[in-house]
Amino acid sequence: MSQQVVTRFPPSPTGFLHIGGARTALFNWLYARHHGGTFKLRIEDTDIARSTPEATQAILDGMKWLGLDHDGEVISQLANAPRHREIALQLLESGKAYKCFSTQEEIAAFREAAQAGKRSTLFQSPWRDARAASHPDAPYVIRLRTPNDGTTVIRDQVQGEVTIRNDQLDDMILLRSDSTPVYMLAVVVDDHDMGITHIIRGDDHLNNAARQMGIYQAMGWPLPVYAHIPLIHGPDGKKLSKRHGALGVEEYQKMGYPAAGMRNYLARLGWSHGNDEFFTDAQAIEWFDLKGIGKSPARFDFKKLDNICGQHIAAMDNAALLHELKDFCAVTGQPPLTPAQITMFEKAMYCLKERAKTYLELIDKAVFILAIRPIIPDEKSAGHLDDVSRSILKELTPHLRNVTWERDDIEAATMAFAEAREMKFGKLAGPLRAALSGRNATPSVFDIMFVLGREESVNRLNDAANGSG
Ligand code: GLU
């Protein structure tokens, strides 16, 4: 590729960064990174009534969490309004646009008459070819002079060639009568000025592309490459609903999905590289291309997301994982980990990160680390602590005092204790779990004891044996 690739993500700050927007951002980011190009972020804040600073912040936070770093400053579309206006006036000057003085009432009357006469209701301004001398001293809009014949062909990298008859396109307004630029003009001018070479976005914008191309052509600007990606559907094949995942990315963050897993899963939503399901960022950047984008809508599937995220957690380096867990605690308002807990987490990572699909699940498995003596068993595990099991625990404790505190030695000592009493280990496991963690479903009791250390383990067993657990 001779030209330097420049992509962009231009969200409207009217709500959270939803999953579809995040995927669009990711595709643009991957494409730019793949080509060693530039990825820009533009906030399309021209709809003043609906745009909020909170939504802008949510978008920035979501992008940050997802690790989609943009190059250069965040661009505000609203701030560029004078430049959009300048281009509209330039088009007027060159005759590619014209002043239209038709009032709302006249346009409505035109449409009514067209409907009654079964003609196209696309407005045809009587001012298109009017001479300047006939212009009244009245408010006007500036309209683009769209060719009446011929076709506009979008050579889309995903959709193929899409042909639209020019007589289906009306002379769109560029500048309103209050001199504010319309959105369609703003997008084209900004994309041109930002040097955008590739526009990758949802296929709900495909129709806009035909209109936007009209502005590029009128200005004599080179067209960007278009890739309109099918929208994400729910598992039922219908439009993505909230229940099926149409949530802000911060919701996924709060559910404890790792950002790396999220990136991997979102990349797979509509793009593929052979049969690869699990991959790293480096692989995604190396592999990403527009050819791999599918033509039919991808289906959002929580099971697949879980599966991929679980693999990312298992594959993550322990230090990085701990760092992420600390962030997760902060984001979800959980108390920060104490130094002692951090030490135990570091020690426990090997048994916690297997089979945890989210950080929430991982922390749930680590509840024995977070619990503080005396451990209060939950309802399910409390049943394991009766007089008989308490006395067994009391007997076991001295055997644990002198073992080398390694996982396998702890296991060997416990097994030897059970064997000497002709007791199945299963009988011992429940009471040990209840005493050590207060739960029924936990990592292996040997892992727990190893991580807790001798003193804490023996203290918890004593608490339970003495009935204070
Ligand atoms: N602001 C538009 C949106 O949020 C994006 C427009 C575009 O990608 O050209 O849907």
Side-chain angles (χ1 to χ4, degrees):
M1 183 141 319
S2 56
Q3 187 190 28
Q4 176 83 334
V5 166
V6 185
T7 62
R8 52 35 154 206
F9 177 53
S12 308
T14 52
F16 46 62
L17 174 60
H18 58 87
I19 209 75
R23 184 198 51 171
T24 301
L26 174 71
F27 280 20
N28 281 283
W29 180 82
L30 284 172
Y31 194 71
R33 297 290 172 257
H34 172 84
H35 288 285
T38 305
F39 170 63
K40 298 190 173 181
L41 177 62
R42 177 173 78 228
I43 302 292
E44 301 210 317
D45 47 0
T46 50
D47 186 344
I48 300 168
R50 291 178 60 225
S51 301
T52 65
E54 292 75 26
T56 298
Q57 196 52 50
I59 290 165
L60 296 177
D61 291 346
M63 299 275 290
K64 187 158 186 240
W65 173 62
L66 277 174
L68 304 180
D69 54 322
H70 56 87
D71 300 305
E73 296 288 299
V74 179
I75 292 160
S76 152
Q77 185 156 68
L78 186 60
N80 294 338
R83 169 74 179 153
H84 307 148
R85 202 169 296 129
E86 180 189 317
I87 295 299
L89 297 176
Q90 226 170 292
L91 287 167
L92 183 64
E93 188 77 12
S94 66
K96 305 276 188 191
Y98 62 91
K99 291 182 184 175
C100 170
F101 297 87
S102 298
T103 62
Q104 288 303 325
E105 294 72 32
E106 285 165 350
I107 295 172
F110 174 95
R111 294 224 166 96
E112 250 170 61
Q115 210 154 20
K118 300 213 170 1
R119 293 188 305 274
S120 160
T121 54
L122 278 188
F123 180 59
Q124 289 173 321
S125 171
W127 299 99
R128 181 174 159 114
D129 299 311
R131 281 180 305 118
S134 65
H135 286 174
D137 183 16
Y140 60 86
V141 298
I142 295 180
R143 287 184 187 271
L144 184 70
R145 195 187 299 279
T146 308
N148 280 334
D149 47 14
T151 55
T152 296
V153 182
I154 309 166
R155 289 179 219 288
D156 193 272
Q157 298 297 304
V158 178
Q159 314 283 337
E161 272 196 10
V162 182
T163 305
I164 291 157
R165 275 179 25 215
N166 287 340
D167 63 7
Q168 311 264 315
L169 304 170
D170 62 359
D171 286 350
M172 68 164 153
I173 296 175
L174 300 175
L175 213 58
R176 299 185 190 91
S177 56
D178 63 359
S179 196
T180 55
V182 299
Y183 166 72
M184 212 67 93
L185 173 67
V187 169
V188 173
V189 175
D190 285 351
D191 283 340
H192 169 265
D193 288 358
M194 289 160 68
I196 304 302
T197 58
H198 292 72
I199 293 185
I200 307 168
R201 63 186 175 191
D203 65 7
D204 49 337
H205 288 286
L206 185 62
N207 282 332
N208 289 346
R211 296 174 152 278
Q212 291 168 356
M213 280 170 68
I215 303 175
Y216 279 99
Q217 276 149 0
M219 285 304 294
W221 288 339
L223 286 173
V225 174
Y226 287 109
H228 287 92
I229 41 182
L231 300 185
I232 302 170
H233 283 187
D236 53 0
K238 296 200 187 116
K239 198 171 167 278
L240 196 62
S241 65
K242 269 213 163 144
R243 188 166 64 89
H244 287 144
L247 306 165
V249 292
E250 72 279 5
E251 296 298 331
Y252 291 90
Q253 182 183 20
K254 286 186 202 145
M255 283 187 262
Y257 287 107
M262 216 54 209
R263 281 193 293 277
N264 181 166
Y265 180 66
L266 286 178
R268 282 289 295 109
L269 269 185
W271 173 81
S272 56
H273 178 266
N275 292 326
D276 294 303
E277 291 292 342
F278 171 82
F279 41 80
T280 62
D281 289 330
Q283 286 170 318
I285 290 171
E286 190 190 325
W287 297 338
F288 192 81
D289 58 5
L290 301 179
K291 278 193 233 81
I293 299 176
K295 271 194 177 186
S296 43
R299 295 186 181 199
F300 190 89
D301 181 345
F302 267 108
K303 274 210 189 95
K304 280 194 182 157
L305 173 66
D306 284 353
N307 183 290
I308 283 181
C309 286
Q311 293 185 61
H312 276 273
I313 291 178
M316 216 180 283
D317 162 81
N318 286 354
L321 185 50
L322 188 61
H323 186 79
E324 295 249 328
L325 286 174
K326 287 182 197 164
D327 282 353
F328 177 71
C329 288
V331 165
T332 50
Q334 302 186 43
L337 300 176
T338 64
Q341 287 171 341
I342 289 175
T343 308
M344 284 194 269
F345 261 100
E346 281 165 346
K347 217 169 158 188
M349 265 332 168
Y350 75 93
C351 65
L352 295 178
K353 67 185 196 182
E354 299 300 329
R355 284 188 295 278
K357 297 184 286 288
T358 62
Y359 296 145
L360 209 58
E361 280 189 15
L362 192 149
I363 287 183
D364 195 55
K365 281 173 88 178
V367 77
F368 69 93
I369 292 178
L370 303 172
I372 294 167
R373 288 180 53 221
I375 308 295
I376 313 291
D378 67 11
E379 220 177 298
K380 279 187 191 156
S381 70
H384 289 288
L385 291 175
D386 54 19
D387 288 346
V388 179
S389 61
R390 281 179 209 279
S391 69
I392 296 172
L393 290 182
K394 195 172 241 161
E395 262 185 79
L396 168 67
T397 322
H399 293 262
L400 295 173
R401 277 195 201 284
N402 301 319
V403 264
T404 316
W405 209 255
E406 290 298 338
R407 189 204 174 284
D408 291 348
D409 296 303
I410 302 167
E411 177 169 1
T414 311
M415 291 313 224
F417 171 84
E419 248 165 61
R421 276 152 197 77
E422 291 181 349
M423 189 193 288
K424 283 222 170 75
F425 172 68
K427 274 210 108 167
L428 204 51
L432 274 171
R433 277 207 165 89
L436 293 164
S437 72
R439 297 282 190 96
N440 240 356
T442 65
S444 122
V445 290
F446 310 119
D447 288 325
I448 296 183
M449 285 193 271
F450 171 64
V451 170
L452 289 177
R454 187 197 312 272
E455 198 187 329
E456 181 70 16
S457 299
V458 167
N459 284 343
R460 288 188 188 190
L461 294 178
N462 279 340
D463 286 346
N466 298 329
S468 56

